[in-house]
């Protein structure tokens, strides 16, 4: 299911795959909500950090499904996803252990996420579009209507 738009995804980071753009927007929304919560007076909501990591895993699975449907080779992209998740889980583990503060984690997550879109997902979106154009078996969602 496509989540509602948080309205935080800058135009420069749109990749023109609506399902993925909506998820990217949702991820920015979750990061912003965590930043706001961490500047509040209560304890940092660690379960919400885990929720962000779980949502990222769901997001990566969506990209993998789209690649499979379009016939795009996803091995390298999947390897990068696994490395990304490992790094983020490691950083979150440091937060839970008290070795890293939540603000440091969020700065890292936000920087990583923008880089994920520009360096990994923009070329990924180009590959999806190229495969959809080549293969009439896998038309774009717009072409199926
Ligand atoms: Fe992505």
């Amino acid at each position: 299911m496509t989540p509602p738009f948080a309205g935080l995804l800058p135009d420069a980071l749109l990749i023109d795959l609506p399902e993925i753009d909506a998820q990217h927007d949702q991820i920015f929304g979750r990061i912003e909500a965590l930043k706001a919560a961490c500047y509040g007076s209560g304890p940092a909501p660690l379960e919400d950090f885990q929720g962000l990591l779980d949502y990222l895993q769901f997001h990566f699975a969506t990209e993998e499904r789209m690649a499979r449907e379009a016939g795009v080779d996803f091995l390298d992209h999947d390897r990068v996803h696994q490395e990304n998740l490992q790094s983020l889980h490691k950083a979150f583990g440091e937060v839970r252990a008290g070795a890293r503060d939540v603000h440091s984690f969020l700065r890292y997550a936000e920087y990583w996420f923008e880089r994920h879109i520009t360096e990994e997902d923009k070329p990924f979106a180009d590959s999806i579009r190229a495969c959809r154009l080549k293969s009439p078996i896998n038309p774009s969602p717009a072409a199926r209507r």
Side-chain angles (χ1 to χ4, degrees), residues 17 33 71-72 78 94 99 107 134-135 142-143:
L17 295 176
V72 169
D78 184 52
E94 291 167 0
R107 284 191 301 272
K134 270 194 284 185
S135 172

Side-chain angles (χ1 to χ4, degrees), residues 26-94:
Q26 174 72 199
I27 292 164
F28 272 119
R30 285 172 182 253
I31 291 172
E32 285 303 313
L34 283 168
K35 286 198 293 194
C38 289
Y39 280 108
S41 55
L46 292 186
E47 66 275 8
D48 291 349
F49 282 83
Q50 185 60 53
L52 172 66
L53 295 178
D54 292 345
Y55 192 81
L56 285 169
Q57 192 149 12
F58 163 74
H59 169 63
F60 290 161
T62 302
E63 291 181 357
E64 184 174 354
R65 173 184 48 80
M66 291 180 76
R68 204 172 40 247
E69 288 171 356
V72 169
D73 177 11
F74 200 67
L75 273 179
D76 286 345
H77 202 114
D78 184 52
R79 181 183 47 74
V80 171
H81 279 172
Q82 296 314 314
E83 290 169 2
N84 289 339
L85 281 175
Q86 271 182 353
S87 297
L88 288 159
H89 277 285
K90 179 173 180 280
F92 183 49
E94 291 167 0

Side-chain angles (χ1 to χ4, degrees), residues 20 24 59-60 63 81 113 116-117 121:
I20 297 301
H24 286 163
H59 169 63
F60 290 161
E63 291 181 357
H81 279 172
F113 187 53
H116 161 74
I117 296 172
D121 282 358

